Amino acid sequence: MDKNSKIYLAGHQGLVGSALERHLRTRGYNNLLTRRFDELDLRRQDAVEEFFQQFQPEYVFLAAAKVGGMWANYLRPGEFIYDNILIQSNVLEAARKYAVKKLLFLGSSCIYPKFAPQPIKEENLLQGELEPSNQAYAIAKIAGIAMCQAYRAQYGCNFIAIMPNNLYGPGDNFHPENGHVLPAMINKFHQAMLTRSPQLYLWGTGTPRREFLYVDDLATACYFLMKHYDEADIINVGSGEEYSISELAAMVAAIVGYQGEIIWDSSKPDGTPRKLLDASRINALGWHSRVSLWEGLKVTYDWYLKNL
Ligand SMILES: NC(=O)c1ccc[n+]([C@@H]2O[C@H](COP(=O)([O-])OP(=O)(O)OC[C@H]3O[C@@H](n4cnc5c(N)ncnc54)[C@H](OP(=O)(O)O)[C@@H]3O)[C@@H](O)[C@H]2O)c1
């Protein structure tokens, strides 16, 4: 991939896609192809094929997907399985047909088994039961990984699949119900601070442990893997920094300036008890995350305030 390569960034307005666009432009890659959802609906096979035929991208970062937090996955599993299977099938097939040189597919840590041994290694995929609340999404994503591997085996396509942990950063979805835990929490604490609420309720017990990765760190990992990784095996991307949800809440409260009481609603589900990725494979190749959770949270909250 060089500075003049034609690179299609699918999902460039999303959390990951916008970080990738920032990263590639900063590095001088200006031959980027982008289409908004309303210009190209990736669930439409004919439209996707036409786009690839007309523009012939050489490299593809597939960051378009139907993504959401636990509540959205619980309410709309049909959309999560339908949209994701169509988006990835259409893009991968068009990439094969129009001889894309390399494609990067985004899997996710949340598709590993609910009780995977910790830290989770790449070989733990499909070694146990999935977390029920996002099973439809997980099965779609696992199908995407299997498709990358099958297309490599049958057609020799250089399609790689990576497994990032929980991401956050500028451009996140801060919706209290549709968003992931961290941005939803920022929004909740901010609203509680504005209304001077003496108490704030959060889902679950606060005990589950999570690893968070700043999205610009993920963008550097995607770029690094696009340059240096050509294997069929999936590869984890994590920061190695792990916190309980209650520790995360305390950090968010401090950054937002909320001083009320936090009450844990244990009638609501906790999800997977622990989710830490073993990132030794990507670390051994030479990539490491750079941004601490505290620094990343401050930048994310600033972005939230400016884009409220
Ligand atoms: N967020 C995380 O914590 C996380 C963690 C691990 C892995 N990942 C993976 O990273 C990838 C990107 O996630 P993200 O967090 O960046 O999600 P996101 O912020 O929701 O972005 C997804 C993008 O895809 C676009 N899109 C959705 N359906 C589309 C369609 N039918 N046609 C064209 N575009 C469509 C969306 O457009 P609109 O904005 O117009 O809807 C949005 O720009 C996903 O594969 C996800 O599994 C995310």
Side-chain angles (χ1 to χ4, degrees):
M1 196 169 75
D2 61 46
K3 303 269 151 96
N4 298 317
S5 301
K6 203 184 273 187
I7 303 169
Y8 173 38
L9 262 183
H12 72 293
Q13 290 191 308
L15 173 65
V16 172
S18 56
L20 272 169
E21 184 168 5
R22 281 196 294 280
H23 186 75
L24 290 171
R25 290 207 188 278
T26 305
R27 285 187 166 267
Y29 290 83
N30 285 313
N31 198 2
L32 304 182
L33 281 170
T34 56
R35 288 292 178 278
R36 291 189 315 270
F37 191 159
D38 59 349
E39 296 169 319
L40 175 61
D41 181 347
L42 296 169
R43 292 170 302 184
R44 289 191 41 216
Q45 187 176 15
D46 53 348
V48 175
E49 290 227 348
E50 206 181 300
F51 172 77
F52 273 75
Q53 185 184 32
Q54 188 177 353
F55 296 100
Q56 306 277 334
E58 296 170 88
Y59 296 88
V60 175
F61 289 91
L62 178 46
K66 178 91 187 169
V67 179
M70 202 157 47
W71 187 238
N73 270 276
Y74 169 76
L75 285 183
R76 303 197 300 278
E79 285 174 40
F80 279 86
I81 194 162
Y82 177 82
D83 286 22
N84 284 314
I85 285 197
L86 285 185
I87 292 170
Q88 67 209 25
S89 302
N90 291 340
V91 173
L92 266 59
E93 170 59 7
R96 176 197 71 77
K97 205 163 165 181
Y98 295 101
V100 162
K101 291 180 185 159
K102 188 162 178 182
L103 175 146
L104 182 145
F105 175 77
L106 281 136
S108 171
S109 61
C110 65
I111 69 178
Y112 278 116
K114 179 173 172 126
F115 297 110
Q118 304 288 324
I120 308 171
K121 292 184 188 305
E122 288 85 352
E123 48 270 31
N124 295 132
L125 189 68
L126 288 171
Q127 297 295 308
E129 275 180 42
L130 297 169
E131 156 65 36
S133 60
N134 71 347
Q135 204 176 79
Y137 173 80
I139 287 172
K141 283 277 168 189
I142 292 169
I145 292 169
M147 192 165 166
C148 288
Q149 293 168 339
Y151 272 41
R152 176 182 290 273
Q154 183 174 349
Y155 307 115
C157 297
N158 193 359
F159 294 172
I160 60 169
I162 74 166
M163 304 287 272
N165 217 328
N166 303 293
L167 304 170
Y168 70 99
D172 213 338
N173 175 1
F174 293 86
H175 191 279
E177 279 152 14
N178 295 337
H180 287 116
V181 57
L182 188 153
M185 215 185 246
I186 289 181
N187 189 24
K188 251 189 147 170
F189 276 97
H190 180 77
Q191 299 306 329
M193 195 259 302
L194 288 184
T195 54
R196 296 174 196 272
S197 303
Q199 292 173 328
L200 179 149
Y201 286 83
L202 291 176
W203 270 34
T205 59
T207 56
R209 299 185 68 75
R210 293 287 181 270
E211 176 188 21
F212 296 95
L213 179 66
Y214 186 60
V215 72
D216 285 27
D217 270 345
L218 174 72
T220 66
C222 291
Y223 177 73
F224 177 87
L225 292 168
M226 199 58 142
K227 289 267 207 191
H228 303 296
Y229 188 73
D230 294 311
E231 307 295 326
D233 292 336
I234 55 174
I235 185 159
N236 287 342
V237 187
S239 62
E241 268 197 88
E242 193 193 26
Y243 296 90
S244 69
I245 296 295
S246 58
E247 287 169 331
L248 171 69
M251 276 197 218
V252 174
I255 284 171
V256 170
Y258 176 72
Q259 292 179 340
E261 187 189 2
I262 299 169
I263 300 176
W264 295 96
D265 177 0
S266 57
S267 69
K268 295 287 193 314
D270 266 339
T272 305
R274 191 176 177 211
K275 211 162 48 120
L276 175 67
L277 290 180
D278 180 338
S280 51
R281 204 176 275 176
I282 189 170
N283 293 158
L285 291 175
W287 178 89
H288 297 270
S289 72
R290 301 249 174 269
V291 181
S292 70
L293 181 59
W294 180 257
E295 283 173 86
L297 276 175
K298 284 203 287 193
V299 178
T300 306
Y301 185 53
D302 279 350
W303 187 92
Y304 168 87
L305 290 176
K306 288 187 190 117
N307 294 275
L308 209 57

